Amino acid sequence: MRQMIELNRNWRFHLGEAENASYKGYDDRAWRTICLPHDWSVELPFDQVCSSGTGYLPGGVGWYRTTFTLPEDISGKHVSIRFGGVYHNSRCYLNSHYLGMRPYGYSSFTYDVTGRAVPGENVLCVRAEHLHLADSRWFTGAGIYRGVTLTLTDAAHVRDVYARTIQLRDGWAQIAVDATLSIGTLQVSLCNAQGETVASAAAVTQTGRTVKALLTVQNPSLWSPETPTLYTLCCTVTNHGQQTDALHIPFGVRVCRFDPEQGFFLNDVSCKLKGVCLHHDAGVLGAAVPQSVWKTRLEKLMAAGCNAVRFSHNPTDAGVLDLCDQLGLLVIDEAFDEWEGCKNKWWRGHNVNPPKHYGYADDFPQWYEKDLQDMVRRDRNHACVILWSIGNEVDYPNDPYVHEAFQSMTGNNDANKAAEDRRHDPNRPHASRLPQIALELVRIVRQLDPSRAVTTALAYPALSNLTGLSDTVDVAGYNYMEARYAQDHAAYPARVILGTENSTTADAWLAVKHLPYVAGQFIWTGADFLGEAQGWPIRVSQAGLLTTANHEKPLYYHRRALWRETLCAKLAASLTGNTADEDFGWRYTPGESVTVSCYTNAAQATLYLNGKALGVAPVGEDARAVWTLAFEAGELRVVCARGIDTVEDRLLTAGEPAVLSLQCSCETLPADGQSIAAVEIRILDAAGQLVTHADEPVTVQMIGDITLLGIENGNPQDMTMFASHARPTWRGRAVAYLRAGDMPGLVEIAAWTRSGLKATLRLPQQPISG
């Protein structure tokens, strides 16, 4: 029967080249012991000589080795090892046998090691590299930053399964299942959450190793953002009368479609996509982001009204898609940021010449088919995935593809760039090549999954309309091109239009809200991310609704007011009147002019300062009321009304720091050596009010069998080394990430500040069952 074994513990790691480290008998006792996922780049100091595009973090070469034991009776077994993601140019070895290499750092890949895996001790070795630091437009990470799994099956087993809902009618749904077997026969059934069988294949057609089955489900519970019901698809293999394999796949019964006049439909119900774009890092954790941290991020975005995510601009971790299935988030699954042409990689600051030119384009011609196929095969059973994206802004003018019409077009989105970057150069690759590549990529996707639409995110639809790129996909993705929605809908009435990347302005949302034919929008971005930085000492792109610590910004609450129906209100203030400078503090110089925003979906808002009404402000569709007033210490309160319903929010002037607060995300941790806890660190005054004006370094110490992974504060300018045990708070807050140990018992987290504030948190680690 099938056994799946996680190989994420007890790896040895060495930073730098290690001659002959692929040899099974190599002595690695001097190497450091680590757990996966692991990103070595965030263990190193920020350095201005590194690339702004990838967050000023170093790279290099890293070697990994681990030993695992297989039983003596593996004769006749099929053995495979799956890597969730290695950045990048990985080379893998088992027992001194070379398994292969994989250039793309975001692909999941599997090696069949049957015949090279042996009973008893086995040694798996991986070499990864990140030598060209300016090889990406955002932070990449470095190393085995996703999990590794070994699978043992009998010779008769399921190799691949593709399931989709093909019909949805009143009272029933039909599911088609295609499977590939090694040998044997297949039985297919669908079970509900209680383990009850709700459908079995009445007829299974098996031709050689290919099996097709149809399941009919009566009165199915449909998967949707409101009710993300998951069934289990059970695929059982028998051979010579004996059961030899059982594969269980979470499955959501749902259908989706796009309409050029009415947008997106889920289960035949109109659904406006309220999405965000997300990169794959989480600040101090780098690219090695645990599922619990992802879950916190996604749940917070959903609380703001988000129902969709575009994972930009590469395949995300399969475990994150599992979370999206469970939470009910709709997903654009994106393959590439560049094709044959290498984009500009800014390394001295965003759009600061000269760029460098390394990246996936070097490997695309040889690897695009395999990488795209592997993404679709891995993800096509996920209910959350509603769109395949074959690329992001590959049509960006002069980067590198050119078109003679570009300079004469109005709305040129490169107007702020140097003249040489806008000039037409006929010696560069011509944009007419792009639709040819797109058609090939679309063909690959449809061959593996004809049930979903395909999109690409266009940087410049006006040019892509000329070249024909816009017409190669089912859904045309428009990046920051709200101004073209109406004219392109009129010119191309059969085209489905979707905002695949949009600004956070209210106007960008209203362009979607009031046009039924626009399927939705995807905000850039859901969370701040490392890289794509403006220049030293900024190391982070600050476009997010959340910080890198998963803390909500005022921008987050503006989005909540735009997207949610439930009555809400949130106050924020700044000296500049610039929304990017707002925070939740109320402490300035007496008499100083302060701009106050209230983000609300109410009809009107009344502001009070120390009980005195300062005026009623009507609230329009932009969901923001604004006042300018002279600062006075005390209580700033807003009362927002919509009909007879009201909601309030307030800002209080905080006193001086008096308390250091620690609050853990969980009450206990399993002693499994890999579970993660997040500890919120807050500096409070004597009344328990968050102190946003007096940040200072907090030192964190672990006592007992528990590991500090790092402290994140969300400050884009803080260059404190991520591996440090001391880090300043930012606006009164930080978060410490801890990894459980193996020993049950009580562990202690101690923290203190330079000014003498102290706090202790005790956390039980429970024995794991079995």
Side-chain angles (χ1 to χ4, degrees), residues 491-550:
Y492 308 97
R495 177 179 296 174
V496 176
I497 295 175
L498 170 65
T500 38
E501 195 168 308
N502 305 86
S503 75
T504 54
T505 65
D507 286 344
W509 165 242
L510 296 177
V512 175
K513 179 180 178 181
H514 294 308
L515 297 176
Y517 55 82
V518 180
Q521 69 167 186
F522 286 79
I523 294 300
W524 190 262
T525 58
D528 289 352
F529 58 93
L530 293 169
E532 203 169 17
Q534 296 298 315
W536 186 270
I538 303 294
R539 56 180 174 79
V540 166
S541 173
Q542 303 171 64
L545 306 181
L546 304 172
T547 69
T548 49
N550 278 343

Side-chain angles (χ1 to χ4, degrees), residues 88-352:
H88 70 137
N89 286 335
S90 63
R91 286 171 169 79
C92 301
Y93 308 81
L94 181 66
N95 299 330
S96 300
H97 295 283
Y98 178 52
L99 303 179
M101 66 91 65
R102 196 64 177 252
Y104 198 28
Y106 301 108
S107 281
S108 297
F109 53 94
T110 301
Y111 291 117
D112 181 348
V113 297
T114 307
R116 287 171 285 192
V118 298
E121 183 180 273
N122 292 260
V123 178
L124 178 63
C125 310
V126 180
R127 179 189 183 275
E129 65 181 38
H130 190 199
L131 298 175
H132 297 300
L133 299 181
D135 65 344
S136 173
R137 300 186 305 112
W138 62 88
F139 171 81
T140 62
I144 310 177
Y145 68 97
R146 297 177 184 164
V148 178
T149 305
L150 181 141
T151 301
L152 277 170
T153 62
D154 288 346
H157 63 275
V158 181
R159 288 182 173 173
D160 186 38
V161 175
Y162 169 41
R164 65 278 186 203
T165 305
I166 58 172
Q167 286 194 77
L168 184 61
R169 298 288 186 268
D170 279 345
W172 61 276
Q174 191 170 63
I175 300 163
V177 181
D178 297 347
T180 305
L181 308 183
S182 55
I183 53 175
T185 58
L186 182 71
Q187 293 178 315
V188 183
S189 61
L190 194 71
C191 298
N192 62 19
Q194 292 72 44
E196 301 164 334
T197 300
V198 297
S200 297
V204 176
T205 303
Q206 183 163 347
T207 307
R209 296 177 178 177
T210 302
V211 178
K212 293 183 179 294
L214 288 175
L215 298 171
T216 300
V217 188
Q218 300 296 328
N219 301 312
S221 297
L222 302 183
W223 185 94
S224 71
E226 296 75 26
T227 57
T229 302
L230 290 173
Y231 292 87
T232 301
L233 184 69
C234 305
C235 300
T236 304
V237 179
T238 56
N239 192 37
H240 301 301
Q242 298 292 319
Q243 182 176 327
T244 59
D245 191 17
L247 181 61
H248 300 106
I249 301 169
F251 184 80
V253 179
R254 64 105 181 104
V255 293
C256 63
R257 61 183 172 88
F258 289 85
D259 182 87
E261 291 294 334
Q262 298 298 321
F264 176 67
F265 287 79
L266 182 67
N267 301 325
D268 293 326
V269 177
S270 178
C271 176
K272 189 73 81 170
L273 296 173
K274 301 173 182 177
V276 297
C277 301
L278 285 174
H279 277 306
H280 68 154
D281 73 272
V284 68
L285 299 171
V289 185
Q291 296 298 292
S292 59
V293 178
W294 267 113
K295 188 170 187 285
T296 297
R297 175 179 289 180
L298 296 176
E299 287 179 336
K300 285 191 173 187
L301 291 169
M302 292 177 70
C306 174
N307 64 10
V309 178
R310 174 186 174 221
F311 291 108
S312 312
H313 304 289
N314 47 261
T316 191
D317 184 8
V320 177
L321 294 182
D322 290 338
L323 281 175
C324 292
D325 282 342
Q326 296 159 19
L327 295 172
L329 276 166
L330 305 162
V331 169
I332 298 179
D333 207 349
E334 192 153 78
F336 309 119
D337 186 53
E338 60 188 26
W339 295 346
E340 293 172 347
C342 191
K343 290 182 177 179
N344 292 329
K345 307 300 190 308
W346 307 109
W347 61 285
R348 301 198 307 181
H350 191 58
N351 287 342
V352 177

Side-chain angles (χ1 to χ4, degrees), residues 22 36 132 176 204 208 230 283 295 344 376 382 415 431 442 556 580-581 590 602 614 616 645 699 711 760:
S22 62
L36 302 183
H132 297 300
V204 176
L230 290 173
K295 188 170 187 285
N344 292 329
V376 176
H382 284 281
V442 170
Y556 171 94
D581 297 327
L614 301 182
V616 179
D645 297 322
T699 301
I711 308 168
T760 301

